[in-house]
Amino acid sequence: MKLNGGVNMGNTVAESLAAALRRHGVRDVFGQSLPSLFFLATPEQSIRQVVYRAENAGGAMADGYARVTGRVGVVAAQNGPAATLLVPPLSEAFKASVPVLAIVQEVPRPTRDRNAFQELDHVKLFSACAKAVHRLDDPARVDDYVDAAMTEAASGRPGPVVLLVPKDVLAEPVPVASTRRAQYGHFPLDRYVPGPDQIKQVAELLATARRPLVVAGGSVHGSGAAPELAELQQLASIPVATTAMGKGAVDETQPLSVGVIGYAMGVNGATCQSRPVRRHHRRNRTTAPAYALVVDSARSCPKRACRKNPSATGITFNSSSSTVQ
């Protein structure tokens, strides 16, 4: 395919960028008209452009797409004020551990740092709400940067990554055709599995606990472990509470489901009925030890609960970590 002026799209960064994303399993990209060279190249890779009204909506769409499909959500935007609208959704994805790749067009390299139209320092803009911010200046390294961005977004604790691409770079030829086959577009990319001894430790603690409790967080959804958790709840007759991010991990109409705990446990909160249970535990903590199995992201801190209740034992069992504490 050729654009006006005879530029062969098969040899450009835009085409290579689209091909690299397709290699990682990307089928949909949320975006408007820019980067235009990129979106002109995506149909050749069977990548669908899903249009949004504003960039903040596009970022939220990519976030939701990732949560539902288990794949890295991709959103594209132009530079300047439009790019600033990606900060809120990327911040949400960052705190909620959702992998999102944001492709942001920048001003051409010759006009960088010359107060070009709608030029902003995107590195500083996104540094607080993304795991990494990369700038693609070298046409020969398209695959390097796309592979790195996908790996960073989907591995460890998932989160958003920003790839900045200057407008003039998108039209430049790629010197060497790609031969890569690696696919990193799904998450969690590096799933950890606890060892048999750790699983045995958890099972023994639950079996011997007088008042076992499961606190399920967002990692249950991220790992696709909701059916297993529901089975554990039913077979072992263990009450299950959820964090806000873990809501829906179990059937909340089930008699053993506590509901959302934490800040939602106010007097008029949806789980206000849980408050007497907490008071009961505090009143009897010296005679009846309580064990809590916490299934959540790395943000959980069962030791905090143990400080409030010295008789409680916290167990962290994460999708992003094999550590049992």
Side-chain angles (χ1 to χ4, degrees):
M1 180 177 112
K2 292 186 178 182
L3 298 180
N4 293 335
V7 178
N8 191 336
M9 289 294 290
N11 296 325
T12 65
V13 170
E15 176 68 18
S16 296
L17 179 59
L21 291 176
R22 191 65 182 89
R23 170 167 58 86
H24 290 294
V26 175
R27 300 177 180 86
D28 304 280
V29 175
F30 300 93
Q32 293 182 334
S33 58
L34 297 176
S36 57
L37 292 179
F38 168 70
F39 280 118
L40 287 171
T42 52
E44 295 184 4
Q45 300 298 331
S46 300
I47 295 177
R48 181 179 62 159
Q49 178 185 4
V50 182
V51 181
Y52 54 72
R53 291 292 184 91
E55 285 72 14
N56 49 0
M61 293 160 71
D63 180 309
Y65 181 91
R67 300 188 196 212
V68 172
T69 64
R71 309 195 66 83
V72 177
V74 182
V75 60
Q78 69 181 71
N79 56 289
T84 65
L85 295 178
L86 286 178
V87 172
L90 292 187
S91 297
E92 168 63 22
F94 185 77
K95 298 302 293 184
S97 304
V98 179
V100 173
L101 173 60
I103 301 173
V104 178
Q105 177 175 290
E106 286 205 304
V107 297
R109 288 170 296 176
T111 63
R112 185 182 297 163
D113 298 327
R114 293 187 175 183
N115 195 29
F117 177 66
Q118 293 192 340
E119 179 185 13
L120 285 180
D121 188 337
H122 294 123
V123 175
K124 289 184 178 179
L125 176 67
F126 294 114
S127 61
C129 61
K131 292 182 65 177
V133 182
H134 300 293
R135 178 179 283 121
L136 175 57
D137 278 339
D138 185 354
R141 300 194 62 193
V142 175
D143 283 321
D144 291 341
Y145 281 108
V146 173
D147 287 3
M150 283 291 186
T151 302
E152 289 165 331
S155 62
R157 179 180 173 182
V161 174
V162 178
L163 180 59
L164 308 174
V165 187
K167 180 180 179 181
D168 61 315
V169 173
L170 287 167
E172 289 203 358
V174 175
V176 181
S178 174
T179 59
R180 300 191 186 186
R181 296 292 181 269
Q183 299 180 11
Y184 306 130
H186 61 279
F187 77 99
L189 188 59
D190 49 354
R191 184 186 299 276
Y192 292 93
V193 178
D197 293 340
Q198 295 172 319
I199 295 177
K200 182 179 179 180
Q201 178 190 359
V202 172
E204 290 177 349
L205 286 172
L206 287 175
T208 57
R210 296 189 182 184
R211 294 189 298 273
L213 173 68
V214 173
V215 180
S219 287
V220 176
H221 294 302
S223 296
E228 287 78 6
L229 178 59
E231 184 177 5
L232 174 65
Q233 179 188 40
Q234 185 67 31
L235 293 178
S237 296
I238 298 177
V240 176
T242 70
T243 64
M245 289 296 299
K247 183 176 174 63
V250 293
D251 181 2
E252 296 190 5
T253 64
Q254 219 268 10
L256 290 170
S257 296
V258 178
V260 179
I261 64 172
Y263 65 83
M265 295 174 65
V267 176
N268 297 317
T271 53
C272 59
Q273 67 273 12
S274 301
R275 294 167 61 85
V277 176
R278 295 177 64 209
R279 288 196 294 269
H280 176 76
H281 275 262
R282 286 198 296 268
R283 190 165 53 245
N284 296 279
R285 65 187 180 188
T286 57
T287 59
Y291 294 89
L293 172 63
V294 180
V295 186
D296 202 357
S297 66
R299 290 180 294 169
S300 294
C301 183
K303 293 183 177 63
R304 185 182 310 164
C306 295
R307 285 196 296 269
K308 295 181 179 179
N309 185 352
S311 66
T313 298
I315 309 168
T316 304
F317 191 67
N318 302 323
S319 64
S320 57
S321 172
S322 59
T323 302
V324 177
Q325 300 176 340

